[in-house]
Amino acid sequence: DYPKLGLAWDEPQDWTRYSLLCTRLRVTSDNPNVLEKHIALVFYDDKTRREDLPDKPMAQQVIHHLIPVGQWIELRDWLTSLNRSTIRQVHVYIYELGPLEAHSYTWEFAQMQLQEITERTAVFGGEVYGAGQLVGRRGKPMGRVATNDGLQLVVGDAGDVGLVLDGKQVGAAGAAPTGLIIRDVAAGHAPVMVGGKLQRRGQEIVQTVRLEKLALGVEATYRSRGSYIEVAGTVENLTLRDRAVTIAFALPVARGNWRWWDSISQYREPGEAHELTTLETGMEWGFGGAHSKYPLCALSQPGRAGLSLAIRMDEPVVHRIGYNASLGLLYIEFDFGFPGYVTMDGKEVPARELKDRPLAKAPFRLLLYRHDPQWGFRSALERYYSFFPEFFEKRVTREGGWYVWGNVADTSGAIEAGFGFHWGPGGPDAVKWDNEHGLLALNYIESEFYQQTMGDFDREP
């Protein structure tokens, strides 16, 4: 059996009022080659059973994490997708997935706490704040940026934003913060609107601010790219301290029957969930080790509106896109780490003194566009493809599966089975066979490494 911790109750526990499980843990190992460990939190609800099995056991409702070794990690797991009105058991599986070599390791748990979300609290970016901590401001409209298909971003002089689609207001700034929002993550502060000075420059709107209390500078430009609206700018660390900063752009959307798409075929409606996201977790970077699975999102309201936020795929960033149903916001977040000093030629040099401040100033860029709400994510993807066809250029002339190693000639029926590519052919004869039969023979490489053979030696060189 897999090693695990467990709790069980004689009487079912009603957890429906709890939305979040906060866990603080650490795993350490005596082997420096062990870099990460898997863990799974498993919840058993008495009313959620496997009806397809003879004894109808309680179904496993699972939350997985990949935990980096050697540091305290804080997990924030939303429980809103779980059935939890009659919880009978909770297991924590300390997975061991076939170690390459024998080693010992230790798990430490400092906290496992259920958190209740009430009218006195608010959720944004997966974090819980007091309702009075997330404060919006609404200024006077000072300009608009529009696409060529009826989408308008209305910018206020307080840095707030609103949305107009085909002449009808889809969302307006209100009690929640909108526009550019920034957070000093290490300090634990709630996000605040960037605000600052906004002015028109031709067809563009420029926003600049120096946030003295946060010791951060922000510059941003709002412009139309024809088919989409672009907001691009920089965040600058004004100190010589190491910083962890998240900047977000939040777009107000009116309450309604919005659908959040997780893929081209699956969508969710909010229900009791405060936020909807499609994230990959367990990463060793970004806030909470999470980032969005896709470079874009699709939020659709059938018959009315389809909205998408996106990044460019040729500008690598750690980002998260989400829909906050409680606050009525569609948002995108960017995470940045700023070093106060860097080591150059054996000396500690302030990052702000480097030419152009590449480690003290970080760029960000987001796209806003509309899609056909009847087609949801498919339409959002189709439009994204049209914006950046160079990202999706097809460079092969045939389709097919991957055959790995050896010689395809040794596998009867490989062509009929649909193989089109041969990864790592086993020699010249294998490559020759591939060429004669229309398979694409490809060398095995690890593109992230540079490897150079030094030959074979029968003694120490």
Side-chain angles (χ1 to χ4, degrees):
D1 196 7
Y2 290 109
K4 61 180 179 288
L5 307 175
L7 287 172
W9 293 271
D10 293 333
E11 296 296 327
Q13 306 292 303
D14 184 357
W15 285 10
T16 53
R17 68 181 185 277
Y18 301 114
S19 301
L20 191 64
L21 175 64
C22 303
T23 307
R24 188 168 187 264
L25 53 79
R26 178 173 69 173
V27 59
T28 54
S29 175
D30 63 349
N31 188 329
N33 296 322
V34 178
L35 302 179
E36 55 195 22
K37 287 286 184 180
H38 289 268
I39 193 171
L41 310 177
V42 185
F43 304 85
Y44 300 85
D45 182 82
D46 202 21
K47 294 180 180 178
T48 307
R49 293 184 171 271
R50 292 288 305 272
E51 300 294 335
D52 57 323
L53 297 178
D55 55 350
K56 299 182 180 180
M58 289 182 289
Q60 291 185 321
Q61 302 178 92
V62 185
I63 298 175
H64 291 279
H65 289 287
L66 187 62
I67 306 298
V69 169
Q71 55 184 296
W72 284 101
I73 300 296
E74 294 186 357
L75 305 176
R76 299 288 187 270
D77 290 312
W78 288 99
L79 307 179
T80 50
S81 64
L82 306 182
N83 295 326
R84 59 193 192 284
S85 63
T86 54
I87 293 291
R88 295 296 297 266
Q89 297 177 37
V90 176
H91 286 163
V92 180
Y93 279 79
I94 313 302
Y95 277 97
E96 183 54 72
L97 301 179
L100 296 178
E101 53 188 295
H103 63 275
S104 62
Y105 57 94
T106 302
W107 287 91
E108 300 171 82
F109 293 83
Q111 178 193 39
M112 289 192 75
Q113 184 179 38
L114 293 168
Q115 191 162 358
E116 186 176 3
I117 309 301
T118 70
E119 65 276 2
R120 298 186 300 275
T121 57
V123 177
F124 184 78
E127 288 291 280
V128 181
Y129 304 97
Q133 291 182 283
L134 293 176
V135 180
R137 298 192 304 274
R138 185 171 184 175
K140 297 179 180 179
M142 56 78 56
R144 298 180 178 225
V145 181
T147 64
N148 55 17
D149 59 0
L151 177 65
Q152 295 183 44
L153 183 68
V154 182
V155 182
D157 59 11
D160 54 304
V161 298
L163 192 65
V164 174
L165 194 61
D166 296 331
K168 298 179 181 179
Q169 190 175 70
V170 176
T178 64
L180 289 175
I181 304 167
I182 201 162
R183 179 187 178 215
D184 184 334
V185 177
H189 296 155
V192 298
M193 288 179 59
V194 167
K197 181 180 179 181
L198 290 101
Q199 55 185 331
R200 292 205 66 97
R201 292 183 185 172
Q203 299 300 311
E204 301 177 347
I205 297 174
V206 178
Q207 182 176 10
T208 57
V209 64
R210 186 182 177 98
L211 299 163
E212 299 294 346
K213 290 184 178 180
L214 294 178
L216 294 168
V218 178
E219 298 179 355
T221 301
Y222 302 72
R223 58 173 65 93
S224 173
R225 293 296 190 185
S227 298
Y228 61 88
I229 293 168
E230 177 188 274
V231 182
T234 60
V235 181
E236 184 174 2
N237 176 19
L238 302 179
T239 76
L240 296 179
R241 305 192 313 271
D242 292 351
R243 307 289 298 276
V245 176
T246 296
I247 190 165
F249 178 78
L251 190 68
V253 291
R255 300 293 198 277
N257 57 329
W258 293 97
R259 294 175 175 177
W260 172 266
W261 292 84
D262 290 304
S263 68
I264 60 173
S265 60
Q266 293 181 318
Y267 67 81
R268 287 177 288 160
E269 296 177 349
E272 66 169 304
H274 298 275
E275 291 191 321
L276 296 177
T277 55
T278 307
L279 303 176
E280 293 181 333
T281 60
M283 304 297 107
E284 296 184 24
W285 55 82
F287 179 69
H291 71 98
S292 278
K293 185 175 182 179
Y294 303 109
L296 71 155
C297 77
L299 182 68
S300 307
Q301 193 174 84
R304 186 181 182 194
L307 301 172
S308 291
L309 288 172
I311 63 167
R312 290 181 59 105
M313 289 175 60
D314 59 350
E315 296 176 344
V317 291
V318 178
H319 74 292
R320 289 175 300 280
I321 311 176
Y323 168 51
N324 188 306
S326 299
L327 299 177
L329 298 175
L330 176 64
Y331 68 89
I332 181 170
E333 295 181 305
F334 300 90
D335 292 336
F336 298 111
F338 296 102
Y341 288 82
V342 294
T343 303
M344 298 184 64
D345 300 324
K347 297 181 179 180
E348 292 289 301
V349 179
R352 289 183 53 75
E353 294 183 6
L354 300 178
K355 183 181 179 181
D356 298 326
R357 300 176 180 170
L359 298 179
K361 182 183 288 188
F364 65 90
R365 188 194 314 266
L366 63 98
L367 284 56
L368 167 64
Y369 62 97
R370 66 187 301 182
H371 64 259
D372 184 344
Q374 299 305 118
W375 287 95
F377 202 84
R378 289 179 183 271
S379 175
L381 278 172
E382 182 183 42
R383 298 216 67 202
Y384 190 84
Y385 297 157
S386 71
F387 301 155
F388 308 108
E390 67 275 18
F391 296 166
F392 305 97
E393 181 181 349
K394 186 174 180 179
R395 295 179 173 86
V396 295
T397 58
R398 64 168 296 169
E399 308 287 348
W402 287 84
Y403 190 100
V404 182
W405 316 127
N407 192 329
V408 183
D410 298 334
T411 302
S412 176
I415 299 295
E416 293 77 6
F419 287 105
F421 305 93
H422 190 181
W423 187 16
D429 290 341
V431 174
K432 181 180 178 181
W433 194 93
D434 293 340
N435 293 341
E436 291 174 349
H437 292 82
L439 273 75
L440 189 60
L442 301 171
N443 226 357
Y444 172 75
I445 62 170
E446 294 175 328
S447 57
E448 67 271 32
F449 297 115
Y450 173 75
Q451 299 181 358
Q452 176 177 325
T453 178
M454 304 299 292
D456 296 323
F457 299 88
D458 56 6
R459 57 183 171 79
E460 183 177 351

